[in-house]
Amino acid sequence: MAKSEGGIVETVKTVVYALLIAGAFRTLFFQPFWIPSESMKDTLLVGDFVFVNKMAYGYSKYSCPFGLCPISGRIFASDPQRGDVVVFRHPVNGSDFVKRLIGLPGDKIQVKDGLLYINGAVAPQVPDGTFEEVMEPQGPMKSRPRCSNGTVGDGAICQKERFRETLPNGVVHDVMNIENDGYADNTDVFTVPEGEYFFMGDNRDNSQDSRFSQAVGGVGFVPAENLIGRADRIIFSSAGASMLYFWTWRADRFFKAVE
């Protein structure tokens, strides 16, 4: 009986140690993140499973699950770079978001006629073909994509115009266009406060980001403390409602770098 009890105790110890090690790894190094929406297409697709590098910018209270790290501000902090794809904690609703870092502290950001202006200079775009996908429910939320080729039925091809955009520091990335006079194709000038950042989704006409105030469901400016880490690599990707549906995995996205 004593042997049996000793075996149970050892098993419990092993499980507890494994959970502690996994928790420490998730807190200090890499956090998995499941992409739930199409706001970052085609850089990130619904169902991409990415690893977030938590060492990239140092640590804050949001580095721990539920924001429980006993940290004030950031420690071991490093400045994020314009063009990084960043996971951060929403300043109001507490959700984790993933967007591209566009504006640094002190920058003036504006969108005019669908083009991004940073400190008065346009970030040039060149056409890069058409992004196509099948119109169907996507991911656990079963949302359907928006298309630039109008309303299409299930099973038809949904298209978005694709462009290559170059940021002032030389970062080149894809952006999508759905409509030419969308709700965020023309904005006021945003001046990014010290200690905060301005984010946008690559799917420009389908992203609630820093162009929208927190009062209307947007992101607004994001404090440095809220940065969780940099999305560096897609581990795998599922086109189905669950990552367990291995027959829906996208073979071309295994271990793909996030650019």
Side-chain angles (χ1 to χ4, degrees):
M1 186 66 174
K3 259 188 168 182
S4 175
E5 289 177 354
I8 292 173
V9 170
E10 288 304 314
T11 299
V12 170
K13 282 183 179 179
T14 300
V15 171
V16 170
Y17 291 152
L19 290 174
L20 288 174
I21 291 170
F25 184 87
R26 182 187 184 280
T27 298
L28 295 175
F29 303 112
F30 295 97
Q31 174 179 328
F33 187 80
W34 180 263
I35 304 300
S37 74
E38 64 171 327
S39 69
M40 281 296 293
K41 284 180 180 176
D42 66 344
T43 304
L44 296 173
L45 304 181
V46 175
D48 280 352
F49 190 76
V50 303
F51 265 11
V52 178
N53 181 354
K54 301 183 82 169
M55 299 174 285
Y57 311 131
Y59 304 94
S60 74
K61 66 179 182 180
Y62 297 113
S63 299
C64 290
F66 312 110
L68 294 177
C69 280
I71 299 172
S72 177
R74 297 197 77 85
I75 60 173
F76 309 119
S78 297
D79 291 333
Q81 303 300 306
R82 194 191 315 275
D84 286 356
V85 177
V86 180
V87 173
F88 58 87
R89 186 66 48 89
H90 190 286
V92 174
N93 68 26
S95 301
D96 289 346
F97 275 49
V98 58
K99 306 287 182 187
R100 190 174 298 275
L101 175 55
I102 296 297
L104 305 176
D107 281 345
K108 294 185 183 301
I109 308 296
Q110 186 177 22
V111 179
K112 294 190 292 185
D113 297 325
L115 295 175
L116 170 65
Y117 287 76
I118 301 176
N119 297 321
V122 68
Q125 293 182 5
V126 295
D128 191 35
T130 303
F131 173 74
E132 296 186 343
E133 58 188 335
V134 176
M135 172 59 76
E136 60 185 356
Q138 297 183 345
M141 298 168 63
K142 301 186 183 302
S143 59
R144 285 174 167 78
R146 293 178 61 208
C147 317
S148 61
N149 57 325
T151 302
V152 301
D154 281 4
I157 297 299
C158 173
Q159 297 179 337
K160 293 177 180 62
E161 297 174 325
R162 180 166 54 205
F163 297 84
R164 296 287 280 169
E165 181 177 82
T166 302
L167 300 177
N169 60 343
V171 172
V172 181
H173 64 102
D174 287 352
V175 294
M176 301 284 110
N177 182 58
I178 298 172
E179 51 191 344
N180 293 321
D181 192 21
Y183 53 83
D185 282 333
N186 290 280
T187 72
D188 295 332
V189 176
F190 300 95
T191 301
V192 186
E194 283 303 312
E196 300 189 274
Y197 297 94
F198 188 98
F199 289 91
M200 292 175 65
D202 289 348
N203 192 1
R204 293 283 168 80
D205 291 321
N206 200 37
S207 175
Q208 288 282 50
D209 47 42
S210 293
R211 291 171 292 175
F212 304 93
S213 73
Q214 296 152 9
V216 296
V219 169
F221 300 119
V222 178
E225 181 183 49
N226 289 52
L227 307 187
I228 293 173
R230 186 180 63 222
D232 282 347
R233 192 164 294 275
I234 300 163
I235 303 306
F236 69 90
S237 181
S238 172
S242 170
M243 63 180 174
L244 300 177
Y245 298 168
F246 63 87
W247 57 90
T248 67
W249 289 2
R250 301 177 176 108
D252 61 336
R253 296 184 75 78
F254 281 102
F255 305 107
K256 182 179 179 180
V258 177
E259 299 176 347

